[in-house]
Amino acid sequence: MNKYKLMIFFNGFLFFAMIGIFTSCLAANSDEIVLPIKLSPQGFPVATIQIQGNDIPLIFDNGASRTTITLSQEIVKKLALKMTATNKKSCHHDDSGKETCLNVHNIPEIKIGQMTMHNVSCEQMDKLWGGHYDEGFVWFEAAKNGVIGLDLLRQFNVLVDYKNAQVILTKLGEYPSQYDVKRWTQVPFTNKYGITTAAKINGVDATIVWDTGANKSIIKTTSKIFAGKTSCESNNDPSCYFETTTFIVSDKQLPKTKFSIQKDELPFDGMIGSDFIEDHKVFFDFKNNVLFIE
């Protein structure tokens, strides 16, 4: 099942000022926050946060590059969540180029793992990913509820370990104690479209975004990788993919990778999704803009 989602990125102007100040309280004897995570049947990572005593499963989506927390209006109403309207809106483009604007609210307090955060910005949506991709998508609880986005995650260093069903958050500049990440492959990234790296795939230059909210790694059909070649364009065809012969990022050879081929209007060539991260632990050092791949 290919990933169908609202790709969130900056719309050419200042998004909005972060509301309030984040504060976090780490457990007294630990500088690491362990957040349990699991994959849905379709391969989307799911983590749970707590708001006003309610445990709420959300998609763990570091590809939501200008989002802290997004919640559906349905879950807000169902749980009678108290939050403050800000009279702000955030506007995004989906992968078809259509603009969608969401209302921005302020949540007084959330709990994530053993950490408490205060005054957290939250977008409210009618339906995840704008409801553009209902056909063929099997909705599950977290997809109905919302996402944890990159604006929250980039306030920490983040280790994603699907095999051990956990995400570890550390203070910026600090590394998780149980992983020797400095021995892993190191790749610098920019923040142009989220977590963005320059790559060379099968000898062709490409711009790639690392996106846990994509269940499959994808390359768009208009990428130069397919110049002079025939590529399928069906989002619903599981056979529509290719495997890399070479995949180089910052002069580092990455493992052979399978990319689904998808018709998109994204401003970059493709995404490394959760299928890659399922096989390779990844650590994101947001202080130094370096990712480490096991």
Side-chain angles (χ1 to χ4, degrees), residues 117-136:
M117 303 182 75
H118 299 283
N119 300 321
V120 179
S121 337
C122 173
E123 300 170 353
Q124 285 195 35
M125 61 183 182
D126 291 324
K127 196 170 187 179
L128 190 62
W129 309 326
H132 297 302
Y133 303 111
D134 284 346
E135 185 179 354

Side-chain angles (χ1 to χ4, degrees), residues 58-291:
L58 301 172
I59 294 178
F60 181 85
D61 188 358
N62 69 6
S65 62
R66 297 289 172 175
T67 291
T68 305
I69 296 289
T70 298
L71 295 176
S72 69
Q73 293 177 1
E74 180 181 354
I75 196 67
V76 171
K77 182 178 180 180
K78 177 181 177 181
L79 300 178
L81 299 179
K82 296 179 175 62
M83 55 184 69
T84 305
T86 66
N87 295 320
K88 301 284 186 179
K89 290 184 181 291
S90 62
C91 296
H92 320 87
H93 287 87
D94 63 22
D95 55 9
S96 69
K98 181 180 178 180
E99 183 181 56
T100 300
C101 293
L102 302 175
N103 293 321
V104 179
H105 293 71
N106 188 43
I107 305 175
E109 180 179 292
I110 71 169
K111 292 183 179 180
I112 180 167
Q114 65 266 42
M115 172 185 60
T116 299
M117 303 182 75
H118 299 283
N119 300 321
V120 179
S121 337
C122 173
E123 300 170 353
Q124 285 195 35
M125 61 183 182
D126 291 324
K127 196 170 187 179
L128 190 62
W129 309 326
H132 297 302
Y133 303 111
D134 284 346
E135 185 179 354
F137 183 81
V138 180
W139 288 91
F140 53 99
E141 185 179 7
K144 294 176 182 178
N145 293 341
V147 304
I148 300 168
L150 183 59
D151 271 348
L152 186 151
L153 298 174
R154 63 161 40 110
Q155 297 177 59
F156 309 92
N157 280 357
V158 180
L159 188 285
V160 184
D161 181 356
Y162 290 161
K163 289 184 178 179
N164 289 303
Q166 64 183 6
V167 168
I168 296 177
L169 309 179
T170 65
K171 294 178 181 178
L172 286 174
E174 297 186 3
Y175 288 19
S177 58
Q178 300 301 313
Y179 298 80
D180 193 7
V181 299
K182 291 185 178 180
R183 296 176 63 90
W184 299 358
T185 300
Q186 301 182 31
V187 176
F189 65 84
T190 71
N191 298 301
K192 186 172 184 180
Y193 303 113
I195 304 169
T196 309
T197 55
K200 190 177 286 290
I201 298 174
N202 296 352
V204 179
D205 292 334
T207 300
I208 299 296
V209 170
W210 295 69
D211 184 358
T212 59
N215 65 336
K216 301 291 184 183
S217 300
I218 72 163
I219 294 292
K220 66 181 183 180
T221 57
T222 54
S223 170
K224 292 181 180 179
I225 295 169
F226 302 119
K229 302 176 183 178
T230 300
S231 66
C232 51
E233 297 184 359
S234 172
N235 289 330
N236 298 314
D237 182 0
S239 67
C240 188
Y241 71 90
F242 76 98
E243 288 187 321
T244 59
T245 54
T246 58
F247 184 15
I248 299 172
V249 180
S250 297
D251 298 322
K252 307 293 178 58
Q253 178 67 54
L254 297 189
K256 185 177 181 180
T257 301
K258 178 179 175 178
F259 285 95
S260 296
I261 302 169
Q262 186 167 312
K263 189 174 183 178
D264 283 306
E265 298 298 328
L266 303 172
F268 45 87
D269 292 289
M271 296 177 285
I272 296 292
S274 277
D275 54 348
F276 179 94
I277 299 172
E278 189 174 2
D279 294 327
H280 308 280
K281 300 180 185 71
V282 180
F283 176 68
F284 299 94
D285 179 347
F286 287 110
K287 181 177 181 179
N288 298 300
N289 285 356
V290 178
L291 62 88

